[in-house]
Amino acid sequence: MNLTDYVINIKDFPIKGVDFKDITPLLNNNDALKCAIEKFVEIAKTIEFDAIIAPESRGFIFATTIAYLLNKRVILVRKKGKLPRKVYAFKASSEYDAPILEIHVDDIKKNDRLILIDDVFATGGTAKAIKLAVDHLGGELVGGICLIDLVFLHKNEDFFNKCHFKAIINIK
């Protein structure tokens, strides 16, 4: 199944100059969603890890399902003010904004090996910020898996190779 067929490109959203990758058609198709989840799980099984870390909001969709299927924990990364307990706050950057993100400080255990699950890797700003936060909290980011990698936005960036990031769909 070609999952690219279930991703719609929306020009100038959420701001002019950004081509948004709409994955809702994939989520709305039983076979495409099942295929995507199976591919995530296949990749995740090749990595030794303790928990999944996922940024809101679309990362949550895939992370919780994968965690359930692989019997792993899920650590949520939320925008500022959304988590109720003590948090570690950090700044991320994307192709169109620079939000403050937060993680519950007690969700990451010392020496936890984590994989990052998200829908799209674009510039790498969010992934890099999450890696630094994980390091700060005593864990280790050992890999990442995304549905879509916008390779053209970070083509000269070796961060993704060094951290063993894999994508189901690569858009060059």
Side-chain angles (χ1 to χ4, degrees), residues 75-147:
I75 298 166
L76 304 180
V77 178
R78 305 266 346 241
K79 290 182 180 161
K80 184 177 180 170
K82 303 276 185 161
L83 293 173
R85 300 189 322 268
K86 184 177 178 184
V87 298
Y88 175 72
F90 57 100
K91 190 173 189 174
S93 64
S94 73
E95 62 207 289
Y96 54 86
D97 68 350
I100 302 295
L101 301 176
E102 297 178 334
I103 302 172
H104 281 135
V105 295
D106 57 353
D107 281 354
I108 295 176
K109 314 290 187 251
K110 186 167 178 54
N111 300 318
D112 261 351
R113 296 172 50 86
L114 308 175
I115 61 169
L116 173 62
I117 300 288
D118 206 356
D119 64 325
V120 177
F121 292 155
T123 63
T126 300
K128 289 178 196 174
I130 289 172
K131 182 191 181 322
L132 291 174
V134 167
D135 291 348
H136 177 82
L137 293 170
E140 178 185 6
L141 189 64
V142 295
I145 312 166
C146 67
L147 178 65

Side-chain angles (χ1 to χ4, degrees), residues 40-52:
F40 270 106
V41 169
E42 180 182 322
I43 296 168
K45 283 181 174 180
T46 68
I47 305 168
E48 184 181 325
F49 68 99
D50 304 304
I52 296 170

